[in-house]
Amino acid sequence: MANKSVWSDNRFWARSAAWISGFASVLLIWLTFDTSVQISMGTDSDLKNGVTKRVPAPTVINYKITYEMSAKRGHEVPIIGGNDGKGMSLFQEKEKFFGKDDWSEKEAAEMLHLGKLASQTKNCMNCHTLLGNGAYYAPDLTKAWLDPAWSSTGALQPMTGKTTKEEAMAEFLQHPSKYPTHARMMPNLGITEKEARGLVAFLKHMSSIDTNGFPRNFGKMQGAVNGK
Amino acid sequence: MIEPLTDVVPSFFAILNQGPLTLTIFLHTIIVLPMIWVYKQEKARLDSEA
Amino acid sequence: MASKLLDNPFTGVGSESRQLATWYFTFAAILFGAQLLFGLVIAIQYVSPGFLFEIIDFSVARMLHINALVVWMVFAMFGSVYWLLPDETGIETVGIKIGKLLYWVFVVAIVIVVLVYLFIQVGPADEMSIWFIHEGREYIEAPRWADLGIVVVALGFVANLFMTGIKGKQTGIITVLMANMIAFAGLYLAGMFFTDNISVDQYWWWWVIHLWVEATWEVFVGALAAYGLIQMIGASRKVVEMWLWIEVAMLFGSGILGLGHHYFWIGTPEYWWEIGALFSALEPLPLVAMFIHVMYDWGKQQGKKSLDGTGESVVNNQPAFLWFWMNAFGNFLGAGVWGFFHTLPQVNLYTHGTQFTSAHGHLSFFGAYATILIGMMYLAIQGKNKIKVMKNTKSSLWALGLTVGGVVGMTIALTISGYVQVLVSRAQMGATWSGYFDGQASVWFAQGMDWRLIMGVVTFAGFIFLIKDFLTTGQNPVHQK
Ligand code: HEM
Ligand code: HEM
Ligand SMILES: [Fe+2]
């Protein structure tokens, strides 16, 4: 028989498989270190010193948040505390959240912690998507805080009888089936007032995460005719 | 040719991220190239066995 | 050599390992039924939202649907390993008594978890709920006490596999399984901790979900397909194992960094666009290779056999082989084609988290995993009933036709609904609350949901035939004993 080809040799493929799998895993671990640093939560002093973090500190709830086009990035980014005109956050303009705009680092962190716990124990993700992951039965919550429907001119805030966005959202979360806007309703999940506040803090914080422009054009188009 | 960096943090991978190919060509290459050594070793083994 | 196995295709019948395998398969089949029933509940809720509202809400039924899915597949995978171990290693599984004990621990834990999901449903926002009710993280919702139980069970399983592999004959298939199952079990740990940072949360969550279904489970399927081809058509072990190693290289080579296609929008850096897009774009290649491999080996073995002029089939288990064949094709279609559709970031920006994802999720899980695991169950029925050549029955064909037709039908319906949602809710209306409902209200979307429900019923009818066949085919005189 002629010389056996390496290409049909089991040992060659076994060793190649081992090398490729092992090395791809090493690269993934390297990338994970790089990414982990970038997505670690910022601190209150980052906000005060104008340091842009992909995931800002919990005290971001003290600031005004918007979602605007950045020419440099080529997509929308969360803008915290005002826009410098070039698509970067100024970290200046504050916004009252449940009556105050000076929640301490500890208070804000506690609220966020409660909210994240509630989001899991109440199972938001098996109806909604968060950051686009989860279930498709209800609207994506990534930027829910910025949804025009919750603004003072939107349809939902007046419906709950509240005069601020955060109070309206908290009221809705506690008694969702009291405020139906569609046949498909959100059920009562036994959310307490404290949990509801935590959840709203969690939603506001999530809207400040830099998601590389997802969702695109959020809240920019209203009243357009859909393609029925 | 060289695209300006757009990402938040200018890390090693962010700089290599130059459109659809650069970063992945780099990664694919360093994964696949060393198979040449495996090939050579196995060829030598098969030859010596033959 | 392969022929030796064929001469004696019933190695280890009566072995305890194989008995344990049938237990695993039985519980898997029951959970499969539960999965489908809860799938029907949530599909009805899409069409008629008042159904079981504030009794079994969408979130509760969906959690049961997808958890039952994951758990039945894990059960059937453990069962498959216990089934093939005596054949491959030539010895009885080491530590089988512990294996049996762990089986019961696993079953009891799952039953408790299901009852808690159904009757307690949600808890207050504290650690106790995470420990004892559920963790609220899609697919791996099991409460933490159950997580710990699952880790113990998985460790016991991996230990049995290793001890048997080391003591007995260590074939290529066994070597691949040993390495793979360690990774499979280890990855579960990445999904067990709590963090306030939702980006970090999702980062590690995908390690479990993606690195399971697009790396370790796929390699597992490669190993099962290799085993099945040797068993069912007498393919040459040397050739089959060479293919297996090539598949491992391609699957891990593309799938591990392909993880990046989930890191486009969760707060992670932009460089994942490139890595995720280009590595995952290669993921369909090994799936094509696996399909070609099955066709090639089949053709080759049948060609050799045809030389004797009797016109007999080389296949010694028709229903199992059909399901294995469906797997080769369904894996390519559901994971490969439907996956590639939405894997580039420019596309995924709009399809991310829509019914399109659901279309892909259904066809891939069914095509890549449900099929081959059902095929393994048929191999077990053949072995258990000492059947030499197992034939299709009316029920086995109806089961296959209706489940495959139903799932493909659901996929088509979801794909159409998904397109409408992508264009109306996302591209046109910018993904807000009102944009979301504009999409949902579209006639095309709504009819897609109707058809999904109808096709879900068809799938369920197929399941009924499947169970009927499982229970009766052993006694059916069509088979050659
Ligand atoms: C009776 C048949 C079935 C029906 C009616 C059904 C229905 C559903 C529904 C309504 C959802 C929720 C989707 C959403 O969040 O909007 C879902 C999710 C899911 N189902 Fe099914 N299903 C069925 C069978 C199956 C089968 C056979 C499989 C796989 C083997 C499967 C796998 C999944 C997966 C993986 C998800 C999560 C999808 C995602 O998050 O993208 N289902 N199913
Ligand atoms: C058998 C293998 C596979 C299975 C079982 C599978 C299953 C799934 C499931 C269930 C999801 C939804 C996860 C969720 O609930 O959020 C998903 C998402 C996704 N899959 Fe796969 N998949 C497989 C292979 C592939 C392949 C080969 C590709 C690419 C070529 C791919 C591309 C994607 C992408 C891009 C997403 C994200 C969808 C989104 O952004 O919403 N998948 N897959
Ligand atoms: Fe994936």
Side-chain angles (χ1 to χ4, degrees):
Chain A
M1 223 168 79
N3 261 356
K4 211 173 150 252
S5 164
V6 181
W7 297 111
S8 62
D9 180 57
N10 284 25
R11 226 180 92 100
F12 167 68
W13 287 112
R15 287 187 63 198
S16 296
W19 158 259
I20 290 179
S21 315
F23 193 60
S25 309
V26 169
L27 286 173
L28 177 60
I29 290 167
W30 182 13
L31 282 155
T32 296
F33 276 109
D34 193 83
T35 295
S36 293
V37 175
Q38 293 198 41
I39 62 175
S40 63
M41 216 180 268
T43 59
D44 194 43
S45 35
D46 286 336
L47 286 172
K48 291 197 168 116
N49 298 327
V51 178
T52 300
K53 285 285 295 179
R54 290 188 153 272
V55 183
T59 41
V60 75
I61 56 173
N62 291 323
Y63 292 82
K64 182 179 169 196
I65 299 167
T66 53
Y67 189 50
E68 296 175 43
M69 197 65 187
S70 154
K72 178 183 165 222
R73 301 285 299 282
H75 51 71
E76 292 142 296
V77 292
I79 297 290
I80 299 161
N83 193 331
D84 71 352
K86 294 195 227 87
M88 295 291 286
S89 302
L90 285 172
F91 305 99
Q92 309 262 311
E93 198 176 336
K94 295 268 192 130
E95 179 183 83
K96 282 213 162 76
F97 188 73
F98 292 106
K100 52 192 255 198
D101 62 8
D102 54 355
W103 293 93
S104 73
E105 210 161 358
K106 187 158 168 280
E107 289 167 330
E110 270 168 15
M111 248 201 277
L112 180 66
H113 176 65
L114 184 68
K116 176 67 171 22
L117 265 176
S119 79
Q120 291 184 218
T121 57
K122 305 293 180 187
N123 219 344
C124 314
M125 261 195 155
N126 264 315
C127 285
H128 293 273
T129 43
L130 310 181
L131 303 176
N133 295 138
Y136 322 120
Y137 190 65
D140 181 56
L141 294 181
T142 311
K143 305 286 174 194
W145 171 257
L146 305 172
D147 201 298
W150 288 115
S151 72
S152 52
T153 53
L156 292 160
Q157 212 186 95
M159 186 174 74
T160 57
K162 303 285 177 185
T163 51
T164 66
K165 193 194 275 194
E166 59 275 17
E167 280 166 349
M169 288 179 102
E171 169 63 22
F172 173 81
L173 289 175
Q174 290 168 72
H175 317 284
S177 39
K178 237 169 85 184
Y179 307 104
T181 51
H182 299 91
R184 197 188 296 168
M185 286 189 283
M186 173 158 160
N188 191 334
L189 300 167
I191 296 171
T192 65
E193 185 181 352
K194 201 162 166 239
E195 289 169 348
R197 286 176 171 228
L199 279 166
V200 179
F202 167 72
L203 291 174
K204 182 165 184 182
H205 177 260
M206 185 159 56
S207 77
S208 76
I209 295 176
D210 187 329
T211 50
N212 294 338
F214 171 87
R216 181 58 55 98
N217 287 325
F218 186 81
K220 298 293 183 305
M221 281 176 261
Q222 287 172 57
V225 180
N226 73 44
K228 262 183 217 174
Chain B
M1 185 63 198
I2 307 277
E3 301 287 328
L5 176 108
T6 58
D7 211 341
V8 179
V9 176
S11 74
F12 172 67
F13 296 107
I15 292 163
L16 273 182
N17 177 15
Q18 289 280 327
L21 290 177
T22 43
L23 177 52
T24 37
I25 286 183
F26 169 70
L27 293 174
H28 279 103
T29 311
I30 58 174
I31 292 174
V32 172
L33 267 192
M35 273 176 69
I36 294 174
W37 278 276
V38 181
Y39 181 92
K40 285 196 173 139
Q41 280 177 0
E42 292 302 314
K43 179 135 181 76
R45 180 182 59 87
L46 283 175
D47 287 347
S48 72
E49 277 172 11
Chain C
M1 255 296 286
S3 57
K4 199 173 139 246
L5 276 170
L6 261 198
D7 292 341
N8 179 13
F10 311 122
T11 339
V13 162
S15 92
E16 287 196 69
S17 190
R18 292 195 144 194
Q19 186 192 24
L20 177 55
T22 60
W23 297 358
Y24 267 110
F25 286 140
T26 308
F27 195 65
I30 295 170
L31 282 174
F32 184 23
Q35 182 212 345
L36 296 181
L37 282 178
F38 285 107
L40 288 173
V41 170
I42 47 181
I44 294 172
Q45 286 173 337
Y46 259 102
V47 172
S48 161
F51 182 68
L52 294 179
F53 183 71
E54 294 188 341
I55 299 165
I56 301 178
D57 280 317
F58 185 90
S59 46
V60 175
R62 186 185 195 270
M63 174 164 68
L64 284 156
H65 177 58
I66 57 180
N67 279 231
L69 161 77
V70 173
V71 174
W72 87 251
M73 290 193 168
V74 170
F75 264 74
M77 286 161 79
F78 283 16
S80 302
V81 170
Y82 280 119
W83 184 264
L84 62 76
L85 266 182
D87 278 343
E88 287 290 307
T89 59
I91 59 170
E92 174 65 291
T93 299
V94 181
I96 191 68
K97 290 279 179 299
I98 295 173
K100 286 186 168 175
L101 178 71
L102 289 177
Y103 168 83
W104 288 111
V105 172
F106 206 0
V107 169
V108 170
I110 297 300
V111 170
I112 296 174
V113 167
V114 167
L115 292 177
V116 169
Y117 282 0
L118 255 182
F119 295 106
I120 306 208
Q121 302 187 348
V122 289
D126 56 29
E127 288 278 339
M128 286 296 275
S129 301
I130 301 272
W131 271 95
F132 297 106
I133 303 176
H134 64 69
E135 291 179 15
R137 298 173 75 213
E138 216 194 343
Y139 303 106
I140 45 174
E141 284 97 341
R144 199 164 287 151
W145 73 265
D147 279 353
L148 297 178
I150 291 168
V151 168
V152 171
V153 171
L155 281 180
F157 166 77
V158 171
N160 282 1
L161 170 60
F162 266 70
M163 289 186 302
T164 316
I166 289 167
K167 188 171 160 212
K169 196 155 60 102
Q170 199 178 326
T171 61
I173 293 177
I174 292 294
T175 311
V176 169
L177 279 178
M178 281 162 67
N180 192 53
M181 291 321 253
I182 275 270
F184 174 14
L187 282 169
Y188 192 72
L189 300 176
M192 281 175 54
F193 65 97
F194 176 88
T195 160
D196 290 338
N197 185 331
I198 180 98
S199 295
V200 172
D201 177 317
Q202 293 294 290
Y203 187 88
W204 291 103
W205 179 79
W206 278 118
W207 270 56
V208 188
I209 309 308
H210 172 103
L211 293 181
W212 269 5
V213 299
E214 285 164 67
T216 47
W217 289 28
E218 283 285 6
V219 167
F220 185 85
V221 162
L224 282 192
Y227 167 80
L229 288 175
I230 294 173
Q231 291 295 312
M232 285 184 292
I233 60 175
S236 139
R237 173 175 294 275
K238 193 177 164 298
V239 174
V240 162
E241 288 190 343
M242 185 183 88
W243 276 97
L244 179 58
W245 285 116
I246 297 176
E247 283 158 14
V248 173
M250 289 168 76
L251 286 167
F252 279 149
S254 60
I256 291 176
L257 288 170
L259 174 60
H261 64 186
H262 304 294
Y263 295 161
F264 297 155
W265 326 115
I266 62 165
T268 34
E270 283 179 6
Y271 54 70
W272 287 106
W273 285 343
E274 245 195 58
I275 299 173
L278 274 293
F279 276 88
S280 72
L282 294 180
E283 284 180 37
L285 286 185
L287 308 179
V288 178
M290 283 159 91
F291 181 65
I292 296 174
H293 170 194
V294 171
M295 295 303 285
Y296 173 85
D297 271 357
W298 184 23
K300 187 173 134 203
Q301 296 304 118
Q302 189 63 55
K304 262 199 241 160
K305 174 92 178 182
S306 301
L307 291 179
D308 70 10
T310 58
E312 260 175 50
S313 162
V314 275
V315 179
N316 69 14
N317 187 332
Q318 285 182 352
F321 189 72
L322 254 183
W323 280 105
F324 270 67
W325 189 87
M326 277 297 160
N327 169 74
F329 189 59
N331 199 352
F332 163 67
L333 198 68
V337 177
W338 254 257
F340 185 78
F341 273 166
H342 62 166
T343 206
L344 299 184
Q346 293 85 345
V347 176
N348 193 259
L349 175 57
Y350 296 100
T351 58
H352 182 43
T354 63
Q355 296 296 334
F356 193 88
T357 310
S358 187
H360 159 68
H362 279 88
L363 196 58
S364 58
F365 257 110
F366 181 79
Y369 302 120
T371 46
I372 199 164
L373 294 171
I374 295 173
M376 283 302 296
M377 293 179 188
Y378 271 110
L379 283 181
I381 291 171
Q382 178 187 29
K384 199 175 158 214
N385 292 289
K386 302 195 169 50
I387 295 169
K388 242 200 203 86
V389 180
M390 190 160 178
K391 304 274 192 204
N392 279 315
T393 62
K394 272 213 181 78
S395 314
S396 84
L397 289 173
W398 275 106
L400 183 108
L402 290 174
T403 42
V404 171
V407 172
V408 169
M410 287 199 292
T411 305
I412 294 170
L414 289 169
T415 303
I416 294 174
S417 289
Y419 278 157
V420 176
Q421 187 180 4
V422 168
L423 291 175
V424 177
S425 299
R426 287 292 178 70
Q428 200 177 358
M429 302 301 289
T432 52
W433 181 347
S434 69
Y436 173 85
F437 278 105
D438 283 340
Q440 304 284 309
S442 156
V443 177
W444 286 57
F445 184 96
Q447 289 194 355
M449 291 295 118
D450 296 343
W451 278 106
R452 188 263 303 276
L453 177 54
I454 294 168
M455 288 300 164
V457 173
V458 171
T459 310
F460 190 73
F463 172 77
I464 303 283
F465 277 105
L466 186 69
I467 294 303
K468 181 189 163 236
D469 199 50
F470 280 176
L471 294 177
T472 57
T473 192
Q475 276 29 279
N476 198 315
V478 294
H479 309 307
Q480 222 171 290
K481 289 258 178 176

